[in-house]
Amino acid sequence: TILMLLGFSLIISLLVWWLLGRPRSMEGELKRALRAREFVPYLQPLVASDGGKLMGAEVLMRWQHPTCGLIRPDLFIPQAEECGVIVPMTAQLMQTVAQQLASWQDKLPDGFHIGFNISAVHCRDFSLLAQCRAFLAHFIPGRVVLVLELTERELLVADPHTLSLFRQLDEMGVKLAIDDFGTGHSSLVYLQQFRVDYLKIDKSFIGRIGTESLSEHIVDNVIDLGSRLGVALIAEGVETRQQADYLRGKVAYLQGYLLGRPVPLPRFCGELRSSAPP
Ligand code: C2E
Ligand code: CA
Ligand code: CA
Ligand code: CA
């Protein structure tokens, strides 16, 4: 009987542990959050460097967690990329933004740029084509320009598979931006192969404008490279008036806390209404 009791209590405690204390895998938790639609879009404005007109926005993902609150993307995107859940997460984010933003399209300036961050795994997935097509179908033609931001740190392989996907995106009018430009190792050939439309100069360079002559020199070199390639430049992480003044006339667009912080999509759209002429 003692052995039976011991065995019984062991089974009970295992059951309790499994029900209450079982550590959930990050992958399982991400999939649960996806089903519960806890990944939400924040939008940060993109403005013309001369004149400050609103040109578009970048969509930045946030995790609205039921107990932990709002979680920043650097804490869950790498894990989501590792297990591939990033693809359905991004697809759902695009769908949410399309549905919500479409109801505000009368307030958007024509050719409003809407940028999404796309992981390298997603760039080998032909489902991306259907997702972009579905996104654009929510809008009057010409109202928005869909931009896919690919980080320079995750080098894409220019194989026939990926190149064919990018050719089809190009035919659809989808634009391509290289994110965090200057931190990776893309060559001119690489940039031309992917028909890049925009280069986003990494904020680590912008942040040092006016502090060290060396990094101003680097910024100037990146600007020079961009102009020679014929791609439009975007400066990210613009925080001070001095940085904005330095960049005016050198880059096309500015993005950063000086121009506006990322805010939930409904708030971004609400502010569109209040600033639009009656
Ligand atoms: P990123 O694409 O380079 O996005 C710019 C980051 O800089 C954002 O951080 C933004 O909030 C922040 N930022 C904007 N203006 C300023 C500024 O003036 N100063 C400073 N110091 N920072 C500024 P966030 O939102 O935390 O996103 C971090 C990164 O997470 C993004 O970097 C991007 O790589 C990734 N990420 C965000 N959303 C997504 C997504 O939907 N999919 C994927 N794959 N990655 C995402
Ligand atoms: Ca980005
Ligand atoms: Ca193109
Ligand atoms: Ca960046």
Side-chain angles (χ1 to χ4, degrees), residues 159-171:
D159 60 4
H161 181 83
T162 308
L163 286 174
S164 144
L165 180 68
F166 279 100
R167 197 165 40 245
Q168 291 180 66
L169 287 170
D170 190 54
E171 282 161 12

Side-chain angles (χ1 to χ4, degrees), residues 179-180 202 236:
D179 210 346
D180 309 323
D202 192 68
E236 62 174 27

Side-chain angles (χ1 to χ4, degrees), residues 58 60 117 149 179 200 236:
E58 177 178 0
L60 294 157
N117 294 286
E149 300 191 1
D179 210 346
K200 299 192 78 169
E236 62 174 27

Side-chain angles (χ1 to χ4, degrees), residues 160-200:
H161 181 83
T162 308
L163 286 174
S164 144
L165 180 68
F166 279 100
R167 197 165 40 245
Q168 291 180 66
L169 287 170
D170 190 54
E171 282 161 12
M172 230 191 275
V174 175
K175 303 289 181 195
L176 226 62
I178 296 294
D179 210 346
D180 309 323
F181 188 70
T183 62
H185 25 265
S186 15
S187 66
L188 292 177
V189 178
Y190 177 82
L191 295 172
Q192 275 160 348
Q193 268 177 324
F194 286 104
R195 306 159 184 243
V196 169
D197 301 284
Y198 303 98
L199 291 181
K200 299 192 78 169

Side-chain angles (χ1 to χ4, degrees), residues 44 58 61-62 73-74 117 119 179-180 203 237 239 256-257 262:
Q44 185 179 33
E58 177 178 0
M61 199 188 292
R62 299 285 181 269
D74 9 328
N117 294 286
S119 301
D179 210 346
D180 309 323
K203 55 176 176 281
E239 294 180 347
Y257 295 162

